Amino acid sequence: EEGGYEGVLRFQNKIREEELERRYRKETDRWDADLTQVPQLPKDWERWVSKVGIQENYIFYRYQKGGAKTGYCTYCGKEVSISKPKYNKEGRCPRCRHHVTYKTVNKAGRVSTKTVTMYLIQRCRDGFVTRMFEGERFYRPGEYDRPLISYREIGRVIYDQNTGTARPFYWGVYKQRNTRWIAGSVREVTSYYWTYPNRSYLGRVYGKTIPSLTKKELLKTGLIFTFVLSCILTIFLQHNAHMTAISFLHDSRCEELLILLSYTFPFASIH
């Protein structure tokens, strides 16, 4: 009798699960159909992530009496001349002039950059899509010249030029069932491994797609006005009080702030 009861219970659970699946599919199928218009990543995307999106770089050197004379720059990918390096001291690579932190291979161990936010804007069927990523670089002991690049997409916003609306999606757990794209805004960014309850969305923007989009798709939006306001606010709110509004408008961070605003305050419509 116990086996019969368990069999009936399994059958009922199966029927209920199939009903839930059909109900949820009505919702998720619409999302999936909408997201089919998202293009493939650019061919040079991973290199851009490593060289531009992730800004932290290092010079690894071997400690020696009298001071190391050469070190390996992670941006150049070359051995460069150095003078009196100190562990965790910041400076600039003498070859590429990029900002670096000095690390001695004798005690550095496993090194990881901070997790950063990055953005990619692409043309799509309905207009354009803004894609939000997070990523970092890892260096294993003895393999500092072969970093591991890690990145993942956590948010998308499709801007529809036909309806003047924005449709946001985020990567998360749907109905406690599976991990997938879900309709909704990225407010608290959650990845596979950690959560950032109060993180900043400021990040680098992939630049190669911008020129063609500004000639058509971006001109039809009201993002430029919000963009200018965000620049002025940032001067006072994000430790840029030493800069004037004019000089800041020529700063590369303005482009980044445009994307920051679109995720922090997702638009209900585009004007």
Side-chain angles (χ1 to χ4, degrees), residues 88-157:
N88 279 341
K89 177 184 176 182
E90 296 183 357
R92 291 192 178 276
C93 170
R95 184 176 184 273
C96 67
R97 305 306 300 166
H98 276 81
H99 184 272
V100 297
T101 301
Y102 289 95
K103 298 281 187 182
T104 172
V105 300
N106 306 74
K107 63 177 181 179
R110 185 177 183 271
V111 177
S112 173
T113 65
K114 294 177 182 178
T115 299
V116 297
T117 305
M118 299 163 284
Y119 297 94
L120 170 64
I121 307 177
Q122 295 173 294
R123 182 174 286 113
C124 62
R125 181 189 66 225
D126 293 341
F128 64 95
V129 57
T130 301
R131 304 172 68 178
M132 181 182 188
F133 296 80
E134 63 180 12
E136 55 279 311
R137 244 188 277 114
F138 299 97
Y139 299 88
R140 293 175 294 195
E143 299 180 5
Y144 299 117
D145 59 339
R146 297 188 295 277
L148 301 176
I149 314 301
S150 175
Y151 63 87
R152 51 217 159 263
E153 189 173 2
I154 56 177
R156 294 174 173 176
V157 180

Side-chain angles (χ1 to χ4, degrees), residues 194-211:
W194 46 72
T195 299
Y196 300 96
N198 298 304
R199 68 169 292 170
S200 168
Y201 295 124
L202 189 64
R204 289 289 181 92
V205 181
Y206 181 84
K208 291 184 179 180
T209 60
I210 300 298

Side-chain angles (χ1 to χ4, degrees), residues 231-248 253:
C231 294
I232 296 172
L233 289 173
T234 301
I235 295 171
F236 299 99
L237 300 179
Q238 295 190 356
H239 312 292
N240 289 304
H242 63 288
M243 302 181 71
T244 66
I246 297 300
S247 66
F248 194 72
R253 281 169 290 179

Side-chain angles (χ1 to χ4, degrees), residues 140-271:
R140 293 175 294 195
E143 299 180 5
Y144 299 117
D145 59 339
R146 297 188 295 277
L148 301 176
I149 314 301
S150 175
Y151 63 87
R152 51 217 159 263
E153 189 173 2
I154 56 177
R156 294 174 173 176
V157 180
I158 295 175
Y159 296 89
D160 193 324
Q161 295 185 116
N162 300 314
T163 63
T165 59
R167 300 188 296 275
F169 297 86
Y170 68 95
W171 187 257
V173 179
Y174 177 70
K175 304 291 186 183
Q176 303 300 315
R177 298 167 70 84
N178 61 322
T179 306
R180 54 157 296 124
W181 287 110
I182 303 169
S185 301
V186 177
R187 291 187 174 86
E188 180 177 293
V189 180
T190 305
S191 73
Y192 286 116
Y193 311 108
W194 46 72
T195 299
Y196 300 96
N198 298 304
R199 68 169 292 170
S200 168
Y201 295 124
L202 189 64
R204 289 289 181 92
V205 181
Y206 181 84
K208 291 184 179 180
T209 60
I210 300 298
S212 63
L213 287 168
T214 54
K215 294 177 182 178
K216 184 179 178 183
E217 286 84 357
L218 292 178
L219 285 178
K220 297 181 179 180
T221 73
L223 297 181
I224 301 302
F225 179 69
T226 304
F227 173 38
V228 173
L229 287 179
S230 71
C231 294
I232 296 172
L233 289 173
T234 301
I235 295 171
F236 299 99
L237 300 179
Q238 295 190 356
H239 312 292
N240 289 304
H242 63 288
M243 302 181 71
T244 66
I246 297 300
S247 66
F248 194 72
L249 286 172
H250 290 284
D251 193 279
S252 62
R253 281 169 290 179
C254 280
E255 183 179 61
E256 301 164 4
L257 283 167
L258 167 62
I259 310 304
L260 163 65
L261 263 290
S262 71
Y263 272 91
T264 308
F265 309 102
F267 296 102
S269 63
I270 300 177
H271 303 287

